[in-house]
Amino acid sequence: MTENTQQQNPAPTTELPTQYAPAEVEGKLYERWVERGYFEVDAKSEKPAYTIVIPPPNVTGSLHLGHAFEHTLIDALTRRKRMQGFETLWQPGMDHAGIATQNVVERELAKEGKSRHDLGREDFVERVWQWKAESGGQIAGQMRRLGEGLAWSRDRFTMDEGLSRAVQTVFKKMFDDGLIYRAERIINWCPRCLTAISDIEVDYQDDDGELVSMKYGEGDDSIVVATTRAETMLGDTAVAVHPDDERYAHLIGKQIKLPLTDRTIPVVADTHVDPEFGTGAVKVTPAHDPNDFAIGQRHDLESIEVLDERGVITVHGPFAGLDRFEARSAIVAALRAEGRIVAEKRPYVHSVGHCSRCKTTLEPRLSMQWWVKVETLAKAAGDAVRDGRVDIHPADMSQRYFDWVDNLNDWCISRQLWWGHRIPVWHGPDGELVCVGPDEEPPTAEGWTQDTDVLDTWFSSGLWPFSTLGWPEQTPDLEKFYPNSVLVTGYDLMFFWVARMMMFGLYAMDGQPPFRTIAFHGMVRDEFGKKMSKSFGNTVNPLDWMDKYGSDALRFTLARGANPGVDVPIGEDWVQASRNFANKIWNATRFALMNGATIEGELPPVERLSATDRWILSRLNKTVAEVDAYYEDYQFAKLSEALYHFAWDEVFDWYVELSKTTFFAGGEQAKVSGRVLGEVLDVMLRVLHPIVPFVTDTLWTTLTGGESLVIADWPKDSGFRDEAAEREIELVQQVVTEVRRFRSDQGLQPGQKVPAELTLTGTALAPHEAAIRQLLRLQPAGEGFHATASLPVAGATVALDLSGTIDVEAERKRLTKDLGAAEKEKADANKKLGNEAFLAKAPDNVVDKIRARLAKAEADIERIGNQIAGLPQG
């Protein structure tokens, strides 16, 4: 009833262990998958291509929950596509992580009492390569633990020979096209890492600072300015006011004395100044503030640098050699001594930029850097989404994307590091610049030197979707697997990485975007929705949970929480529950195998199937169709939930239980149900496999004798539906659920047997009497039977003899109380639905919920009334 095209073998005689032990299964099974080459690809294959690149983790890193979450989703997509017959490439690799890696190795050197300068550039870079070989990349082994189906033979590194060639090729092309240039501008500077960083690598946080108001000039020619960075006043070259501010009209164009120095500075008029903010006058320090730099450009002001690369005062005088924070206090004290401090506010909470790598407070600094002119590149990146070449999922993320690419500033790509792709530009003795491509020789004449800077890490990772396929060579891989089918990444990387890849891909690949779909996911948070952070003490090592509960349990928990673009809370209790689900799959499959479940032979024709068999096959096909639709919409949480409830509730809790009487009775019908159960397990394990690969592959190979689920066929919905059988089994479920609830209310133990008389004639329930009695532990109504409770449900009546087991009057009181609550709920709902003013204003979904409450209340009233009527009079 479900289309499975793979050749099926008879089930082997191997028995399953009584308990599932993930630690004994996962490692060996994964190595078998790798050894057999299941995850490798062939560019010459005639199969349609499906390509996803891994967001390259830092070589310095280890697997954290964010990686595990993202990788689980990608692995699920690629496993399904592989089963659907696609030539499926999940491209692995690592990022060289310029600043982070250099910091790690420098810390190692510091333990030896050395700095990178003691080694020199060449030896230091060699030392980093040694570290990478010895200590880097531990995350790859951890990714194997998670079961990731990566094409390991194609593993790439952003500084390997091929990717370095791609970087140099793109740089040369952009340089020649005028898209890369060198200019002196204000940049974000880290005094700890001693490099520029881009705007998107700045972490802003509220810091306790101080706001100091200072008087410049004397008498009528004095003016008050306020600042949070008093130390930069030594580099002021003007005071700016708004041209229409009458308070300062008499000062515009005049020179005033700059305190603590022997300089005078002009008062300039600039429309950038907000006359309503503060005193309406601002100090202008072009070398240490981006807005001031712009004012300086407009008024031809001098730029005076007063802080060096480490944040130390460089100007002559009593403050020379002081750290910036020491100088701040010393300068305020000196101004106070001169009577120039008008006001001081402490603490003054304001947003301050910090280095995303080392958390050091950044300094805006005038610096000569390399830049990418992004105007045309960013427009192309926006157009590719607007014209439908690239689809963003979920759709509401598109506006955030447009807000970014439509307002991009030029990108500072140079970093003052030694580890990374060195900028391929040579400087001549007279200021000449020559950019050298990968097949060109650099100038050899005396006085020519290569630029000392390296490229921003995101420059090389921006080429990832095509550089990993052999570009700039026109390789078979590039032809087969570009553009990528989908990019799965966190929304936090939209600006760092996604926009860069879009710009580079469209530029280098003749207008072909790097991927057809961008699927954004959220961030993993703790069970209370709080961001995970070492400082909060709530971080989790996913390896600990994998060791404790198995990799499948962690994967299923992560997938079950993955709604598109939404953050994912996770707690250990949820992983434990997923472990229980894996165990349930194991135990139920083991029971099924012991009781005749098989895939041998064709499915029996419909006329030989019981209603229970037809019901589960109908539900099976609906579930396959539902899961397929959710996959296409990247709804991992919904597809996981659908699989969970089908497997646990419908297959294990209902079909297996309803079929037990058939299995125990034996005979031809038991063989039929055994074949149906084998079919259901076969398909169910296939659709579960992409999320929980280890337990499903182990069970499926035992059930079918097949080689591996990794290369098995994905099941197709055959279209088989049996609505009549579904309605019939729903009636059985109603009877069993209602009587179980009644038994529980009476305090009866689940296994406690009770004499009962079932009146099922005239209903579709009659063929299921044996199963109903088995599920409800109901004995036949023998001699001396006396019905003390009668439950009318689903058109049938279940009379129970509970003599000596219940307090009839207490039960009547409980039911009467429940009936009153249901009647009140009905009255409240009717009142709201009868209010025309409410109906006119309330959203449709709210009205629908109230109607649903009314329908439930009416059903409860009927049910409880029948229960009361069924109680013995006495």
Side-chain angles (χ1 to χ4, degrees), residues 220-480:
D220 292 340
D221 289 347
S222 66
I223 194 166
V224 175
V225 298
T227 183
T228 58
R229 302 168 67 221
E231 68 278 9
T232 64
M233 61 86 58
L234 299 175
D236 287 356
T237 54
V239 171
V241 298
H242 194 277
D244 299 331
D245 193 335
E246 294 181 358
R247 293 172 296 175
Y248 304 118
H250 68 288
L251 289 177
I252 295 173
K254 285 189 175 182
Q255 295 282 329
I256 60 174
K257 179 75 166 55
L258 179 65
L260 307 182
T261 72
D262 58 1
R263 293 190 293 116
T264 60
I265 58 176
V267 177
V268 300
D270 196 283
T271 54
H272 168 77
V273 179
D274 180 1
E276 302 298 323
F277 182 77
T279 64
V282 297
K283 60 190 287 299
V284 182
T285 321
H288 294 283
D289 183 275
N291 294 321
D292 294 2
F293 179 78
I295 293 175
Q297 293 284 295
R298 288 193 288 272
H299 296 278
D300 197 24
L301 300 175
E302 184 183 4
S303 293
I304 301 175
E305 293 185 57
V306 298
L307 293 169
D308 70 7
E309 61 183 10
R310 298 182 184 276
V312 174
I313 297 292
T314 58
V315 294
H316 295 299
F319 311 109
L322 292 179
D323 171 79
R324 53 186 167 155
F325 301 118
E326 296 172 336
R328 182 175 301 171
S329 299
I331 287 171
V332 170
L335 290 168
R336 191 183 298 114
E338 291 189 4
R340 293 189 174 274
I341 298 297
V342 176
E344 298 178 71
K345 185 176 181 180
R346 295 187 185 88
Y348 178 74
V349 179
H350 61 133
S351 181
V352 177
H354 294 258
C355 176
S356 61
R357 298 295 181 186
C358 69
K359 310 310 176 187
T360 299
T361 300
L362 296 173
E363 280 294 333
R365 185 167 187 250
L366 186 62
S367 181
M368 183 67 75
Q369 301 287 342
W370 288 94
W371 303 81
V372 168
K373 189 181 297 183
V374 301
E375 183 179 3
T376 58
L377 301 174
K379 182 180 184 303
D383 290 346
V385 175
R386 287 188 169 97
D387 64 24
R389 281 175 289 160
V390 178
D391 177 50
I392 289 183
H393 188 90
D396 58 10
M397 285 286 175
S398 297
Q399 190 55 52
R400 187 185 297 191
Y401 175 81
F402 292 137
D403 288 345
W404 178 254
V405 297
D406 292 348
N407 297 283
L408 268 182
N409 295 318
D410 285 359
W411 172 20
C412 177
I413 56 171
S414 46
R415 299 292 180 266
Q416 289 64 57
L417 304 172
W418 288 355
W419 172 245
H421 294 100
R422 194 166 174 181
I423 287 176
V425 172
W426 268 253
H427 298 262
D430 297 318
E432 308 96 323
L433 294 178
V434 172
C435 182
V436 178
D439 297 317
E440 300 172 350
E441 292 295 325
T444 56
E446 186 177 351
W448 285 84
T449 58
Q450 186 175 358
D451 197 286
T452 57
D453 290 348
V454 300
L455 287 166
D456 178 10
T457 299
W458 298 104
F459 192 99
S460 51
S461 58
L463 314 180
W464 193 246
F466 53 92
S467 63
T468 52
L469 298 173
W471 188 91
E473 310 306 324
Q474 296 305 306
T475 64
D477 286 348
L478 195 65
E479 182 177 352
K480 178 77 173 179

Side-chain angles (χ1 to χ4, degrees), residues 794-807:
T797 302
V798 180
L800 304 172
D801 184 353
L802 303 178
S803 302
T805 63
I806 68 166
D807 182 331

Side-chain angles (χ1 to χ4, degrees), residues 45 64 112 117 231 252 277 280 289 364 367 608 659 728 854:
S45 167
H64 57 64
E112 304 171 16
H117 299 286
E231 68 278 9
I252 295 173
F277 182 77
D289 183 275
S367 181
R608 290 181 59 196
S659 301
E728 185 171 325
L854 175 61

Side-chain angles (χ1 to χ4, degrees), residues 74-336:
I74 299 175
D75 196 44
L77 290 173
T78 52
R79 283 180 182 272
R80 173 173 173 264
K81 286 296 182 180
R82 190 178 293 111
M83 294 173 74
Q84 287 182 316
F86 286 77
E87 193 67 21
T88 303
L89 169 61
W90 184 10
Q91 174 65 52
M94 293 279 177
D95 193 285
H96 67 277
I99 295 176
T101 304
Q102 180 156 319
N103 283 346
V104 168
V105 178
E106 286 199 78
R107 284 196 294 270
E108 292 297 313
L109 284 175
K111 294 176 184 177
E112 304 171 16
K114 297 178 181 178
S115 74
R116 60 181 165 122
H117 299 286
D118 294 323
L119 272 67
R121 182 168 192 145
E122 186 175 333
D123 288 346
F124 175 77
V125 170
E126 179 59 32
R127 179 71 175 259
V128 181
W129 279 108
Q130 289 175 11
W131 175 88
K132 190 257 181 187
E134 296 167 5
S135 306
Q138 62 173 316
I139 195 172
Q142 296 165 344
M143 285 165 13
R144 290 171 178 258
R145 279 287 313 278
L146 194 64
E148 300 178 27
L150 290 149
W152 288 110
S153 70
R154 309 168 64 91
D155 199 15
R156 303 304 300 269
F157 182 56
T158 50
M159 281 187 63
D160 67 27
E161 184 177 351
L163 268 63
S164 294
R165 180 178 179 83
V167 167
Q168 196 172 353
T169 301
V170 164
F171 189 100
K172 169 71 172 174
K173 177 174 169 58
M174 295 179 78
F175 182 91
D176 291 346
D177 287 347
L179 294 175
I180 288 180
Y181 64 95
R182 191 166 182 254
E184 188 176 48
R185 294 184 180 174
I186 294 288
I187 45 87
N188 305 295
W189 181 265
C190 178
R192 158 62 184 80
C193 298
L194 299 180
T195 183
I197 64 172
S198 65
D199 292 342
I200 54 176
E201 293 173 299
V202 179
D203 287 341
Y204 287 95
Q205 66 184 48
D206 288 341
D207 285 359
D208 287 344
E210 59 182 3
L211 182 65
V212 179
S213 297
M214 311 175 291
K215 184 177 71 172
Y216 288 9
E218 304 293 343
D220 292 340
D221 289 347
S222 66
I223 194 166
V224 175
V225 298
T227 183
T228 58
R229 302 168 67 221
E231 68 278 9
T232 64
M233 61 86 58
L234 299 175
D236 287 356
T237 54
V239 171
V241 298
H242 194 277
D244 299 331
D245 193 335
E246 294 181 358
R247 293 172 296 175
Y248 304 118
H250 68 288
L251 289 177
I252 295 173
K254 285 189 175 182
Q255 295 282 329
I256 60 174
K257 179 75 166 55
L258 179 65
L260 307 182
T261 72
D262 58 1
R263 293 190 293 116
T264 60
I265 58 176
V267 177
V268 300
D270 196 283
T271 54
H272 168 77
V273 179
D274 180 1
E276 302 298 323
F277 182 77
T279 64
V282 297
K283 60 190 287 299
V284 182
T285 321
H288 294 283
D289 183 275
N291 294 321
D292 294 2
F293 179 78
I295 293 175
Q297 293 284 295
R298 288 193 288 272
H299 296 278
D300 197 24
L301 300 175
E302 184 183 4
S303 293
I304 301 175
E305 293 185 57
V306 298
L307 293 169
D308 70 7
E309 61 183 10
R310 298 182 184 276
V312 174
I313 297 292
T314 58
V315 294
H316 295 299
F319 311 109
L322 292 179
D323 171 79
R324 53 186 167 155
F325 301 118
E326 296 172 336
R328 182 175 301 171
S329 299
I331 287 171
V332 170
L335 290 168
R336 191 183 298 114

